Amino acid sequence: MASPSARAMAFAEVEKMSKDLDLGVLINNVGASHEMPVAFAETDPAEMEAIIQTNIFGTLQLTRAVLPAMVARSKRGPKSLVLNVGSMSGRIPSALLATYSCTKGGLQTWTKALAEEVKADDVTVLMVLPAFVVSNMSKIRKSSMFVPTPKAFVKSTLSRLGLPAGAQGRPYEMTPYWSHAIADYVVGMFGYVSEMAGIKVILSMHKDIRKRALRKKAREAGKGKGKQE
Ligand SMILES: NC(=O)c1ccc[n+]([C@@H]2O[C@H](COP(=O)([O-])OP(=O)(O)OC[C@H]3O[C@@H](n4cnc5c(N)ncnc54)[C@H](OP(=O)(O)O)[C@@H]3O)[C@@H](O)[C@H]2O)c1
C-alpha cells in the first residue's frame, strides 16, 4: 500500500491534470471487501486498513482532486455528475462484514452532505445502492432474480438517473434494480421490526457464506498439500 505522502502527491497530480480536462462525469465504483465474512474482533488489521483506504480515502481523495474541474465545467456548460457506488451493506448494517458495511454507510452520509454542498454549482451527486450483483467481489457467477449481471445492473442505473428509483424517502440515493428496490422497501416498511429482521437475515446469510468459504479454503489447502507430496 502506498504511503500517505505518496498518495497525497498522486492525488495532487490528478488535481493538476484534471484542470485541463473536460470532466463531466465521475463514477466512484472502486470497492474492496473482506476475503470472506469474519467477526470484527478477528478481522486482520491489514484487511481492515485496505478496505477503509480503498473505499473511503480512495473515493474521497479522488473526488476532492477532480471536483474543482467539474464545478468549473458546470459553470461553463451542462451539469456534471458524481455517481457513487454504495451498497445495501451501508443501508442494512451487515454483521460479519462490519468494516465494509461501515465504509459504505459512511459514503452514504458523505454523498448527501456533498450533494447539498455542490447543488448550487450545478453538480449532481448521487449514490446507487446495489445488493448482490454477479462479480469478483460477490463471488457469485450465475445471475438470478435477486442477483443481476453487471450489464443489467448498469442499465437499470443509467436509465433511471434523475428519476425516482427505489430508496423511497431518502434524498440523493437510488436502488434502481427492481428486486433490490423491493428488498430495500421491505426493510424500511415496519421501522424497527423490519430493520432488525433485515439485520438478522444478513447475519445468518453471512454465517453460512463463511462456513462455505472456510470449507472451500480447507479443500484447496488439502489439494495444495497433495500436490507437494
Ligand atoms: N458485486 C456486488 O454484489 C456488490 C454489491 C454491493 C456493492 N458493490 C459495489 O460495487 C462496486 C464494484 O464492485 P464489483 O462487485 O464490480 O467488484 P470487483 O469486480 O471486485 O470490482 C472492484 C473494483 O475496484 C477496484 N479496486 C479495488 N481495490 C482497489 C485499489 N486498492 N485501488 C484501485 N482500485 C481498486 C478493482 O480494480 P481491479 O479490477 O484493478 O482490481 C475493481 O475495478 C464496489 O464499490 C462494490 O463495493 C458490489
Side-chain angles (χ1 to χ4, degrees):
M1 199 180 289
S3 68
S5 62
R7 275 200 305 274
M9 272 165 62
F11 284 113
E13 195 55 34
V14 171
E15 181 171 1
K16 225 162 75 189
M17 278 162 47
S18 71
K19 291 203 167 95
D20 301 323
L21 298 176
D22 185 23
L23 206 59
V25 178
L26 169 65
I27 299 183
N28 283 314
N29 179 59
V30 72
S33 187
H34 302 264
E35 183 202 358
M36 67 175 80
V38 58
F40 180 70
E42 291 164 19
T43 307
D44 179 347
E47 179 175 76
M48 199 163 96
E49 193 178 340
I51 294 170
I52 296 171
Q53 282 293 349
T54 304
N55 298 3
I56 299 283
F57 278 112
T59 302
L60 267 62
Q61 284 179 309
L62 180 66
T63 308
R64 166 65 191 83
V66 302
L67 197 57
M70 295 180 79
V71 169
R73 178 186 181 274
S74 289
K75 289 202 169 102
R76 297 192 304 267
K79 272 188 173 189
S80 301
L81 170 72
V82 178
L83 183 64
N84 299 321
V85 181
S87 167
M88 286 296 274
S89 292
R91 159 93 175 99
I92 311 169
S94 299
L96 301 186
L97 291 184
T99 303
Y100 176 74
S101 186
C102 156
T103 61
K104 292 295 180 173
L107 288 177
Q108 234 165 307
T109 304
W110 167 74
T111 296
K112 295 179 193 197
L114 179 64
E116 203 49 32
E117 268 184 39
V118 294
K119 200 168 156 181
D121 296 316
D122 272 343
V123 178
T124 300
V125 185
L126 287 173
M127 170 159 272
V128 57
L129 301 184
F132 283 119
V133 176
V134 171
S135 83
N136 288 340
M137 183 187 283
S138 67
K139 300 188 180 78
I140 303 175
R141 309 267 168 258
K142 224 173 131 217
S143 63
S144 62
M145 193 164 78
F146 283 96
V147 186
T149 60
K151 191 173 177 188
F153 184 78
V154 168
K155 193 171 168 200
S156 75
T157 304
L158 298 183
S159 62
R160 286 172 180 78
L161 284 175
L163 302 170
Q168 276 90 353
R170 306 202 304 275
Y172 306 119
E173 280 180 32
M174 59 194 293
T175 45
Y177 195 74
W178 68 272
S179 57
H180 297 174
I182 293 173
D184 185 352
Y185 181 74
V186 169
V187 167
M189 199 156 61
F190 301 112
Y192 179 90
V193 174
S194 48
E195 179 149 350
M196 275 314 295
I199 292 172
K200 286 182 190 303
V201 167
I202 298 286
L203 170 62
S204 108
M205 202 174 76
H206 286 163
K207 278 184 179 165
D208 190 49
I209 295 175
R210 180 170 172 80
K211 261 191 219 149
R212 279 187 282 130
L214 286 174
R215 275 204 299 265
K216 189 174 171 206
K217 216 173 169 179
R219 268 199 314 274
E220 282 169 359
K223 272 188 211 157
K225 233 171 138 186
K227 270 186 198 156
Q228 277 172 11
E229 283 165 3

